[in-house]
Amino acid sequence: MSDYTVNLLWVLLIASFGFSAFAILLSISRQRRGRATAAAYTPSEDVASEAARKVLREFEKNGQSADAALVTWSPDTLRKILADDLPDAQVIVVSNREPYIHNIKDDGVQLLVPASGLVSALEPITRACAGTWIAYGGGTADRLTVDKDDRVQVPPGNPSYTLRRVWLTEEEYQGYYLGFANEGLWPLCHIAFTRPVFRASDWDAYEAVNRKFADTVVAEARNERPIVLVQDYHFALLPRMIRQRLPDAIVITFWHIPWPNSEVFSICPWRERILEGLLGSSIIGFHTQFHANNFTESVDRFLESRIERADAAISYGGQTTLVHAYPISIEWPAQLLAKLPSVEECRASVRDRFGLSTDTKLCVGVERLDYTKGILDRFHALDELFTRYPEWIGKVVFLQIAAPSRGTLPAYQQLHDECRRYAEELNRRYGSETYSPILMVAEHHRQEQVYEVYRAADICMVTSLHDGMNLVAKEFVAARDDEQGVLLLSTFAGASRELLEALIVNPYDAAMMSEALLQALTMTPDEQRERLRPMREMVRDNNVYRWAGSMLLDAARLRKRGDLDRVTGTGERPPSNTNNVISMFERARKAAS
Ligand code: F6P
């Protein structure tokens, strides 16, 4: 080949790459614009409901994800779905953590909203559905604030749903919550290299408490067909217990933490029981497809079941369960933003509170004090930054807000001690009489206070070693209506699958994290805006109403199909992706029987 031909080929190759890249960029920008336009337009209630119904029709027609259509998701959309597609359905939420805790304090009863992603996501949903929320009553004044049926109307001052409290003995709490849930399942599901502890006595307590909650669900159900939203790893056995007592209920279970691969899962002595329990659900949701796949693999490995991967369905013991990814989100628009002062005022008041000069760069971290959150790794990154770029000493402060959590467990006490020691050491090494690079506030903060801190920050660090989603990342993005601030986000948090414009980091790599910190510290306001804007669109368009709405639409589809089966006498059959055509598998089963 002549030089001329070779050069020509190169030119053509490069031009074709360039063209492809341009086409991809154009299509991304169109998609983004599409999303933005759809969301900027606020349709009337009827249009919203019509759009939601259209999603359902599309979904039923071709089995595609309900997420496919553009709808502005709001409390009204959820109410419409319930009214139109799940008429008379009573929504019951079950979680361990309650949304409102009453505690006795010196000056009377104090109300506490716990630091919990689960609570911040489920609370607006339960409000919108006017449902019943069943949870463990762990506050010291909880018994004083309920009626004779252990119920209290919430939110206080503006009640819109019922909180039904369940009481646990000290022994139950120790075994079920601290023991099996938090020393067993929590480390099992997170790759954070903390050894899970499995005790038979904890398992017994876990089973007994799940049964207690099943009794409460049955007691609270107004009819045979409630929609029960079971939350998290505290209740792996509950779905089947509900199914046995209320066979026509729709049970939607959401697993808020990662699901490990089947090799890791196999170390749990009660693995089959956990899987069987969960497969009592109509739908099991995870934050990411990866975790949904891990779950399906675990079932495949340990239970005699029928798995239809194309349909994301598992049939076990006469029950079919859909296994889907539903990425959780936050309320949008965040109601409390309207009550907060401007970003300038938040910056001034937070800097004033901590004695920081106006030009100090403020990095923040906000979470429960938990070993999965990578708090020590953040301190390492700061240490590394100061070692590599000493000119930043004195100019950056890292504020860690760490809500105390599970504090009686040894792993948590150890983490607390290590964080305190490392912070003191860094402050000794790099600080002065007037400067402490690390401020650690290990106490509970109200949501308004947390949002004030987000708005005051230059950088927010979310460096989880492993996390289902991580709503702090989304909250930070939502809090910054000034489109300023930089998000450093762990690649091991589910949120990194959606917030693509964050600075994505590996928290185990201190050198990489320090470079990302430097990039964040020196980022221009224009680039901050360029990155925040699409992330804000993403959270706005995929808010928590969409999360719940997608599951409710799926539930409506299942209910309709179940009703149809009852009428036609076909009984239980797997959901099919193929326009109600019975799958090959099902035909084979029918032919054999
Ligand atoms: O991340 C899992 C999770 O259950 C969250 O949903 C919730 O924010 C947190 O853990 C609550 O922890 P706890 O109720 O033990 O304080």
Side-chain angles (χ1 to χ4, degrees), residues 97 116-118 177 186 232-234 256-257 368 405-406:
R97 189 60 67 196
S116 156
L118 181 157
Y177 172 76
W186 180 266
D232 232 350
Y233 60 101
H234 310 89
H256 288 256
I257 61 176
R368 290 178 306 103
S405 179
R406 309 168 192 172

Side-chain angles (χ1 to χ4, degrees), residues 120-181:
S120 53
L122 264 296
E123 217 277 333
I125 302 301
T126 321
R127 254 191 277 133
C129 301
T132 298
W133 188 324
I134 301 173
Y136 158 56
T140 46
D142 275 354
R143 284 176 193 266
L144 305 177
T145 42
V146 291
D147 65 14
K148 64 174 186 17
D149 298 313
D150 299 327
R151 298 184 185 133
V152 53
Q153 301 306 310
V154 289
N158 184 20
S160 54
Y161 66 93
T162 304
L163 170 60
R164 164 73 198 267
R165 286 177 171 145
V166 175
W167 315 117
L168 301 182
T169 64
E170 185 52 30
E171 205 182 354
E172 284 172 331
Y173 178 76
Q174 287 286 337
Y176 138 83
Y177 172 76
L178 289 173
F180 193 72

Side-chain angles (χ1 to χ4, degrees), residues 163-410:
L163 170 60
R164 164 73 198 267
R165 286 177 171 145
V166 175
W167 315 117
L168 301 182
T169 64
E170 185 52 30
E171 205 182 354
E172 284 172 331
Y173 178 76
Q174 287 286 337
Y176 138 83
Y177 172 76
L178 289 173
F180 193 72
N182 285 319
E183 282 193 294
L185 287 178
W186 180 266
L188 179 77
C189 291
H190 289 89
I191 310 171
F193 309 104
T194 297
R195 186 190 160 125
V197 180
F198 295 114
R199 300 180 197 91
S201 56
D202 289 348
W203 171 256
D204 291 344
Y206 186 82
E207 192 175 6
V209 170
N210 272 245
R211 199 162 296 288
K212 196 180 240 190
F213 274 81
D215 293 343
T216 313
V217 170
V218 174
E220 289 295 324
R222 286 197 294 268
N223 60 40
E224 307 271 296
R225 289 155 63 89
I227 296 184
V228 189
L229 306 177
V230 175
Q231 304 303 309
D232 232 350
Y233 60 101
H234 310 89
F235 295 116
L237 303 179
L238 182 59
R240 184 155 300 279
M241 292 172 175
I242 297 173
R243 172 75 50 228
Q244 282 159 353
R245 314 244 321 252
L246 295 170
D248 291 334
I250 295 247
V251 181
I252 304 177
T253 301
F254 195 80
W255 194 263
H256 288 256
I257 61 176
W259 189 278
N261 68 41
S262 61
E263 190 69 22
V264 171
F265 183 67
S266 74
I267 69 174
C268 177
W270 298 280
R271 60 198 184 196
E272 287 87 359
R273 296 282 313 280
I274 287 174
L275 296 172
E276 279 169 355
L278 286 168
L279 289 176
S281 315
S282 322
I283 299 174
I284 302 179
F286 295 90
H287 293 299
T288 67
Q289 192 55 47
F290 189 64
H291 298 147
N293 293 348
N294 278 351
F295 174 78
T296 305
E297 289 313 317
S298 302
V299 174
D300 199 13
R301 188 158 161 194
F302 299 114
L303 293 184
E304 282 291 328
S305 58
R306 192 173 74 225
I307 296 178
E308 297 211 47
R309 286 177 208 276
D311 299 342
I314 299 177
S315 293
Y316 178 75
Q319 158 80 35
T320 297
T321 304
L322 291 183
V323 182
H324 274 193
Y326 302 94
I328 202 168
S329 195
I330 57 169
E331 184 184 36
W332 185 291
Q335 277 197 11
L336 56 79
L337 262 189
K339 298 183 212 144
L340 281 178
S342 69
V343 165
E344 287 67 36
E345 286 168 283
C346 292
R347 283 181 77 88
S349 77
V350 170
R351 278 171 175 69
D352 190 43
R353 192 171 325 137
F354 292 102
L356 309 177
S357 63
T358 45
D359 56 350
T360 303
K361 291 280 188 185
L362 181 63
C363 299
V364 299
V366 179
E367 49 256 302
R368 290 178 306 103
L369 193 47
D370 194 292
Y371 54 81
T372 60
K373 301 293 180 186
I375 299 173
L376 284 168
D377 304 84
R378 259 166 242 177
F379 294 179
H380 276 299
L382 197 68
D383 195 354
E384 190 73 22
L385 177 88
F386 289 158
T387 310
R388 290 165 173 246
Y389 306 103
E391 64 275 22
W392 282 98
I393 298 171
K395 296 181 185 155
V396 189
V397 163
F398 180 69
L399 169 62
Q400 177 65 56
I401 290 185
S405 179
R406 309 168 192 172
T408 54
L409 294 180

Side-chain angles (χ1 to χ4, degrees), residues 64-83:
Q64 275 171 7
S65 164
D67 278 353
L70 289 167
V71 179
T72 299
W73 293 89
S74 67
D76 282 339
T77 327
L78 284 190
R79 281 191 280 265
K80 282 276 178 192
I81 291 173
L82 283 172

Side-chain angles (χ1 to χ4, degrees), residues 344-570:
E344 287 67 36
E345 286 168 283
C346 292
R347 283 181 77 88
S349 77
V350 170
R351 278 171 175 69
D352 190 43
R353 192 171 325 137
F354 292 102
L356 309 177
S357 63
T358 45
D359 56 350
T360 303
K361 291 280 188 185
L362 181 63
C363 299
V364 299
V366 179
E367 49 256 302
R368 290 178 306 103
L369 193 47
D370 194 292
Y371 54 81
T372 60
K373 301 293 180 186
I375 299 173
L376 284 168
D377 304 84
R378 259 166 242 177
F379 294 179
H380 276 299
L382 197 68
D383 195 354
E384 190 73 22
L385 177 88
F386 289 158
T387 310
R388 290 165 173 246
Y389 306 103
E391 64 275 22
W392 282 98
I393 298 171
K395 296 181 185 155
V396 189
V397 163
F398 180 69
L399 169 62
Q400 177 65 56
I401 290 185
S405 179
R406 309 168 192 172
T408 54
L409 294 180
Y412 288 78
Q413 285 164 359
Q414 193 183 328
L415 175 74
H416 195 177
D417 291 348
E418 280 180 43
C419 285
R420 195 177 30 77
R421 264 202 308 273
Y422 199 6
E424 282 168 6
E425 187 197 322
L426 292 183
N427 285 342
R428 236 190 338 268
R429 207 157 359 123
Y430 300 111
S432 66
E433 283 220 333
T434 54
Y435 171 61
S436 299
I438 297 205
L439 302 169
M440 187 155 148
V441 192
E443 57 194 50
H444 182 80
H445 283 62
R446 292 194 316 278
Q447 269 304 81
E448 308 86 89
Q449 298 171 309
V450 168
Y451 267 70
E452 186 192 37
V453 166
Y454 292 143
R455 281 161 81 75
D458 295 293
I459 300 168
C460 178
M461 291 184 90
V462 175
T463 58
S464 316
L465 304 181
H466 202 192
D467 220 328
M469 172 55 70
N470 194 297
L471 291 183
V472 167
K474 293 189 175 179
E475 286 174 359
F476 174 70
V477 164
R480 299 313 297 257
D481 48 10
D482 62 333
E483 298 179 340
Q484 291 297 294
V486 183
L487 176 64
L488 244 80
L489 178 58
S490 165
T491 187
F492 306 120
S496 70
R497 302 283 160 264
E498 295 179 87
L499 302 177
L500 305 178
E501 293 80 4
L503 297 185
I504 306 289
V505 292
N506 172 1
Y508 290 91
D509 185 342
M512 179 218 223
M513 289 244 283
S514 71
E515 292 300 330
L517 259 180
L518 182 69
Q519 189 185 347
L521 288 166
T522 54
M523 193 179 285
T524 64
D526 278 352
E527 185 177 345
Q528 294 180 35
R529 185 168 302 110
E530 287 301 303
R531 287 175 181 273
L532 259 176
R533 200 172 277 169
M535 291 196 281
R536 286 175 58 77
E537 283 171 11
M538 165 61 81
V539 181
R540 179 192 60 197
D541 297 351
N542 297 279
N543 63 16
V544 75
Y545 302 109
R546 181 172 190 167
W547 172 73
S550 307
M551 288 190 283
L552 288 177
L553 285 169
D554 287 359
R557 181 175 68 105
L558 287 181
R559 173 146 285 171
K560 282 180 183 176
R561 184 159 297 166
D563 290 348
L564 193 65
D565 287 349
R566 246 190 301 277
V567 172
T568 56
T570 48

